[in-house]
Amino acid sequence: MKIETLAIQTTLSHDANAGAVVPPIYLSTTFEREADGSYQHEHVYSRASNPNRQALEKSLAEIEKGAIAFAFSSGMAATTALFQSLKTGDHIIMPDDLYYATSVLVEEVFAQWGLTLTKVDMTDLGEIKKAIQPNTKLLWVETPSNPQLKITDIEAVSDLAHSIGALVAVDNTWATPIMQNCFDLGADVVMHSTTKYFGGHSDILSGALIFKQAGELSSKIATIQKLTGAVPSPFDCWLLLRGIKTLPLRVKAQTANAMELAEYLSNHPQIEAVHYPGLTSHPQHEIAKKQMKGGFGGMLSVQVKGDAKNAMALTGRLKLFTTATSLGGVESLIEHRKSVESPDSPTPENLLRVSVGIEDIDDLIEDWKVALG
Ligand SMILES: *Cc1c(COP(=O)(O)O)cnc(C)c1O
């Protein structure tokens, strides 16, 4: 089945009690046990498993074409669980441009537990090779990357990682499985901040880890999920399952809008640079074309001529783009990224990150035209 069909089929309810097409929400934290000690419905306690979370995890695994999925209370909780599966002394390689909190998590929290990190330009395979150490256990990929939309060749990085016995995890939040299938390209683990496109309406905080194969590592994650308890609530799982139904439609509309907006802005004299993998001028456009089979996504960033203040002022003149962090919702958002990261982040000071929504593209372009003057 194609992903559009899976998005509907994997989110239908099979409710034996009432025949409900939309699943009920199971708020119960605890489940009845039989006199012989067994659990007729397999659930015991909601931190370990819950019917809404179970349905969500099944859908996530199928949509991402993985074997098994685990839902978490945020994207960062999902990432944390994967890092917790590593051991003291293990080394991670990450891209130099990525969701800022991911590398800070290693540098400020997991460094105390003995994890080490090297950040490299992952568009350059030679740089990755140079960063490999005997204890390198994980190559963390984020493509397109936040906020500069650099593209990493997932297939090449996976081949390299597997040649040294390391794992490849891809933060697939920005591309979604609609754009790119990381497992087909060789990755072992996919992470999502489902807060973004999966939820799609900026009203749920949640995350997921999906594994290409069930095995020792996925069992370890199951244990970590159950014991550390960073699980989404039944209502969050229900909302997310509802969001998945329209994921393909929304993301395709956002991608079409982003492509047009990127083209318009790349020809505007007030714009210094547009970062969007769909533009032929993007330095890794050919790799993007190869691995982003479903399109180039709904995210772009622009560098506005002038300084940080100038870029920030532009966000105030745009009427259809709400100035706010986060992304992937149906509404267009814009954000001055450097000032929410840190003064030592490599993000250019004149960069604005744009999450393109599903509004009419002519209206969106007109808004930029007026704002840029
Ligand atoms: C938002 C985001 C995260 C973090 O997810 P949360 O749900 O906010 O914890 C990680 N990676 C990327 C690419 C993101 O956009």
Side-chain angles (χ1 to χ4, degrees):
M1 275 187 276
K2 296 267 165 51
I3 201 158
E4 292 78 3
T5 314
L6 283 174
I8 304 300
Q9 283 298 313
T10 65
T11 55
L12 285 173
S13 164
H14 299 287
D15 174 27
N17 289 330
V21 174
V22 172
I25 302 172
Y26 292 91
L27 294 175
S28 188
T29 52
T30 186
F31 300 85
E32 232 179 309
R33 195 173 188 187
E34 306 302 312
D36 65 3
S38 68
Y39 291 88
Q40 205 191 331
H41 302 283
E42 74 192 89
H43 303 292
V44 177
Y45 184 61
S46 261
R47 174 156 44 71
S49 78
N50 166 283
N52 293 102
R53 198 169 92 224
Q54 189 179 47
L56 170 65
E57 290 173 337
K58 207 163 164 286
S59 173
L60 287 169
E62 287 199 46
I63 290 216
E64 192 65 67
K65 291 211 263 171
I68 188 164
F70 300 91
F72 292 89
S73 53
S74 71
M76 291 307 294
T79 301
T80 296
L82 188 65
F83 294 164
Q84 283 173 329
S85 75
L86 298 174
K87 289 197 197 72
T88 297
D90 285 352
H91 174 245
I92 307 172
I93 300 177
M94 279 187 189
D96 55 4
D97 187 66
L98 85 166
Y99 187 75
Y100 196 62
T102 306
S103 58
V104 176
L105 176 65
V106 179
E107 288 159 347
E108 290 193 6
V109 179
F110 283 97
Q112 300 175 77
W113 298 12
L115 292 189
T116 56
L117 167 69
T118 306
K119 289 206 261 184
V120 298
D121 179 0
M122 275 210 180
T123 65
D124 184 341
L125 213 57
E127 289 296 307
I128 308 176
K129 279 185 190 152
K130 267 193 261 168
I132 290 172
Q133 298 175 12
N135 54 341
T136 300
K137 289 287 153 56
L138 173 67
L139 273 70
W140 181 272
V141 176
E142 186 183 302
T143 181
S145 67
N146 173 42
Q148 300 193 53
L149 291 111
K150 290 187 179 184
I151 300 295
T152 296
D153 187 333
I154 299 173
E155 199 168 19
V157 170
S158 298
D159 287 347
L160 176 61
H162 296 154
S163 75
I164 58 156
L167 276 177
V168 176
V170 182
D171 181 337
N172 203 25
T173 300
W174 282 29
T176 80
I178 313 298
M179 305 296 142
Q180 85 194 350
N181 188 278
C182 304
F183 295 140
D184 285 349
L185 295 161
D188 306 289
V189 188
V190 164
M191 174 266 167
H192 277 289
S193 167
T194 46
T195 309
K196 315 293 168 55
Y197 287 103
F198 276 78
H201 297 75
S202 306
D203 53 12
I204 325 156
L205 196 67
S206 56
L209 288 178
I210 302 140
F211 292 79
K212 185 178 191 170
Q213 283 167 347
E216 203 182 314
L217 180 61
S218 67
S219 301
K220 218 184 228 181
I221 297 297
T223 304
I224 291 169
Q225 182 200 40
K226 182 165 108 181
L227 297 182
T228 63
V231 290
S233 74
F235 184 52
D236 287 346
C237 295
W238 186 91
L239 270 177
L240 208 47
L241 213 58
R242 172 189 167 125
I244 290 173
K245 292 176 193 288
T246 55
L247 174 74
L249 276 181
R250 285 185 281 105
V251 172
K252 279 188 230 168
Q254 286 168 299
T255 295
N257 278 354
M259 186 74 218
E260 273 199 58
L261 183 61
E263 271 168 355
Y264 170 76
L265 292 173
S266 63
N267 291 314
H268 199 287
Q270 293 303 313
I271 300 293
E272 185 180 293
V274 178
H275 306 286
Y276 187 67
L279 295 175
T280 50
S281 57
H282 187 284
Q284 294 94 38
H285 175 66
E286 287 307 315
I287 296 166
K289 237 171 51 184
K290 184 186 75 165
Q291 71 188 16
M292 300 181 82
K293 294 211 167 89
F296 302 101
M299 294 299 296
L300 58 102
S301 60
V302 295
Q303 287 177 250
V304 185
K305 279 190 184 153
D307 57 10
K309 231 175 112 197
N310 198 44
M312 198 92 87
L314 177 63
T315 65
R317 293 199 299 277
L318 285 162
K319 301 297 174 223
L320 299 182
F321 291 75
T322 304
T323 306
T325 197
S326 200
L327 58 110
V330 287
E331 67 290 322
S332 290
L333 300 178
I334 190 160
E335 178 182 40
H336 182 258
R337 193 63 199 164
K338 174 112 180 169
S339 51
V340 299
E341 290 178 347
S342 118
D344 27 87
S345 94
T347 300
E349 61 158 15
N350 63 346
L351 182 140
L352 298 176
R353 190 185 78 180
V354 184
S355 173
V356 185
I358 61 167
E359 302 90 340
D360 181 83
I361 186 58
D362 296 336
D363 289 338
L364 295 182
I365 288 177
E366 182 63 21
D367 197 31
W368 277 88
K369 199 183 247 173
V370 173
L372 288 167

